[in-house]
Amino acid sequence: MNHEDGTRYVRVIVDRAIHRELDYSVPENLADRVGVGSRVRVPFRDKSALATVVAVPEQSEVKGIRSIEAIVGDAPILSEQLLELARWIGTYYCCPIEAVMRSVLPQVIRRAEVGWKKQLFVQPASNVDQGEMEKLRRRAPRQAELLEAIAKLEKPVRAAELLRQTSLDNQTLRALVKRGLAELREEAVVRDPHGDEQFIATSNLVLNEEQTHALNEIEQALQAPENARPILLHGVTGSGKTEIYLQAICAALDRGRTAIVLVPEISLTPQTVERFKGRFAEAQDAVAVLHSHLSEGERHDEWHKIHSGRARIVIGARSAVFAPLKNLGLIVVDEEHETTYKQEEAPRYHARDLAVVRAKIEKCVVVLGSATPSLESYHNATIGKYRLITLTQRVDQKQMPLMRVVDLRQEQRREKKATIVSERLSQAIADRLEKREQTILFLNRRGFSTSLLCSNCGEARNCPNCSVALTFHRHPAVAGRLSCHLCGHSAAVPNKCPACGQDALIYHGFGTEKVESTVAQIFPKAVVRRMDADSMTRKEAYRETLRNFRTGKIDILVGTQMIAKGLHFPNVTLVGIINADLALHLPDFRAGERTFQLLTQVAGRAGRGETAGEVFVQTYTPFSPSIQFARHHDFAGYFQQELEFRERCDFPPFKHAILMTVRSAHEGRAKLSAETLKRRLSEALPKEFTLGDATPAPLEKLQGQFRFHILIRGEAIMRLSRLVRETLDKLPFPEDVTVAVDVDPYQLL
Ligand code: ADP
Ligand code: ZN
């Protein structure tokens, strides 16, 4: 924008943490190329720094304004809409805008240091002079051979590829280039993480009545997205939600719009990617995939594929909510209840909630799907903020699995020790082995034994850095050592109790390794495999195990939540939940909700094929509501009672919460800072907000840091966030004290 004297200005957010926007002037030669969303290099203090342009003001009040040094990259990389979303995140999640920018723009794009991968291509040579060719044949037969191959080319081909095909070498090619008979050109090649895979094209299935109704509703919303409410698609596992997403995306593309599909990282399996790539296989670049295992180069290429408009569908984990698609028509959030949508470092955003906010900004449709919607979303649907669509039937009327509850208290009384596989579960497994059907056993705890206790003095081997017991692993990678699942500390197993010196150490509790070995002992002929973070350290191991399970080479698969979600194996007719109580005893108001969801999801793995499935839930608390409601597939009943509990206790969705964690390696300083913070907050916050005391966190020590919590609850969350931010900005903390603010927290330890 031209000012009277012709000077132009930009307002930027510098990548460094300064919590402020700064103005710079733009040199005349750069003026045409800079706009909102451009990346620039600016002088900052006595160095230079990267920054993002967020406004182009008419003038600036800054005296002695400095000028930007350079433009980084070509086109603006941040749309106005994404910028608006970033600002919203900063305010809502009480987070400095620079930190928000780090999430919105991947590092490889912000820094612009990684570029396209360039490769040399040989250009086709038209009309090769026959005289030249004859001369070459006599003097340099290999060059002649290569030239003939080049003459036959129809399009440019990678130099390396051509040399491989002709079994000729680089020197020969160089010689031809030198003679002016061949031409090499550098071109960008795309690093496609799925480039070497073949996707079998699929077409739309004929939808059943419930699916048709759901798709119609979404299509109607696509016609008038500016008035559409977010849609909550509540459909039991296997009711064909993914098929609806696929057809809804088609409908959005038909209208010239683009789409984002968010899936939890954990269910971003080859199976899921295949379904989307397969349906949109005719346009090779149509689907971009974003997840945390991409290399820098792959991430660069996928991002530009999206930004340039070549990719029109993005499927990815939570950060894909920032995918730079233009003309967005639809955002799908699959398994919307999943807690992995919550980012556990600043900005601590929830991708499902951001999807709803982004949809509002972009005026597009948002569909949240789940078999077990979160209390928050379901509540929004019952009060009319969201539109609820329900799928009550599994596709082809397949039966919901039969849920059987095994009372571990009785088992323990009979067996006189903790049960791993109960009599009834064991019989059911034997039965499947006989029928050559498959079993999944689920336990949400890794390792062999979960603690090493002294039977004399009662001391457990704890992590020196964290307030948790060390887990014993037999797995070769950690070979018979104790290790901490929080910080990675590992220690040898002592012979005697280091506390009292007695030879009285006993292993206590069990994890997936122990389940695996127990099952292998009971069924020596069965092929048992384990799938958890310890056994799946190689990326290939994961695919390999899944492939072997699918092809029936594995009879029993033991695993953690890694196997709970999204997988589809028709021959699995039995699921055993080894201990359903693990989540229930956490000091967390969502414990019941998580247990209900987990049981329902894991159970959903059973009976996806022709035979009805059966689920055994082993528990010490057989009458807890989450277990009973899950047993009867009664979402509405569970929801009703859980909601009453939340309302009684002022928990979400009725009140918002902000959890502040104050931590330091020095216990006294952490405590003192937390208490000071609490006092300042009590001065700053009006009565409508409930402010808790500064208390030691349930996990008192983590990675060598002592932790204190302050929990605030209230309704007006934007106002509360602002007041918290202002209080923090005014408070100087000692250098070794860190304060983390978590708005709508999921992690209460
Ligand atoms: P969900 O996402 O609700 O768990 P899916 O979309 O994965 O359900 O569907 C479960 C299975 O049923 C998949 O194998 C899918 O291909 C198949 N399916 C879905 N819809 C139909 C349909 N209308 N007709 C036939 N098969 C279908
Ligand atoms: Zn530790």
Side-chain angles (χ1 to χ4, degrees), residues 609-652:
E610 294 310 313
T611 326
E614 201 176 14
V615 178
F616 282 81
V617 182
Q618 304 193 133
T619 170
Y620 288 96
T621 53
F623 297 107
S624 78
S626 2
I627 290 176
Q628 283 302 324
F629 284 118
R631 173 188 193 176
H632 295 109
H633 310 287
D634 183 3
F635 180 83
Y638 152 75
F639 174 78
Q640 200 49 47
Q641 72 90 32
E642 182 68 22
L643 209 62
E644 279 162 20
F645 155 71
R646 299 281 184 92
E647 185 158 30
R648 214 164 45 239
C649 304
D650 270 350
F651 281 127

Side-chain angles (χ1 to χ4, degrees), residues 190-203 246 249 261 268-291 302 305 311 313-315:
V190 173
R191 287 158 286 207
D192 182 348
H194 300 275
D196 53 355
E197 292 164 52
Q198 287 286 324
F199 296 99
I200 300 158
T202 63
S203 44
L246 288 165
I249 294 169
V261 183
L268 197 51
T269 56
Q271 252 180 330
T272 313
V273 172
E274 207 176 297
R275 269 182 98 172
F276 285 84
K277 287 255 186 187
R279 185 62 57 90
F280 302 99
E282 76 274 17
Q284 236 202 339
D285 277 346
V287 182
V289 181
L290 293 176
H291 55 78
E302 292 290 288
K305 207 159 94 182
I313 303 161
V314 175
I315 169 163

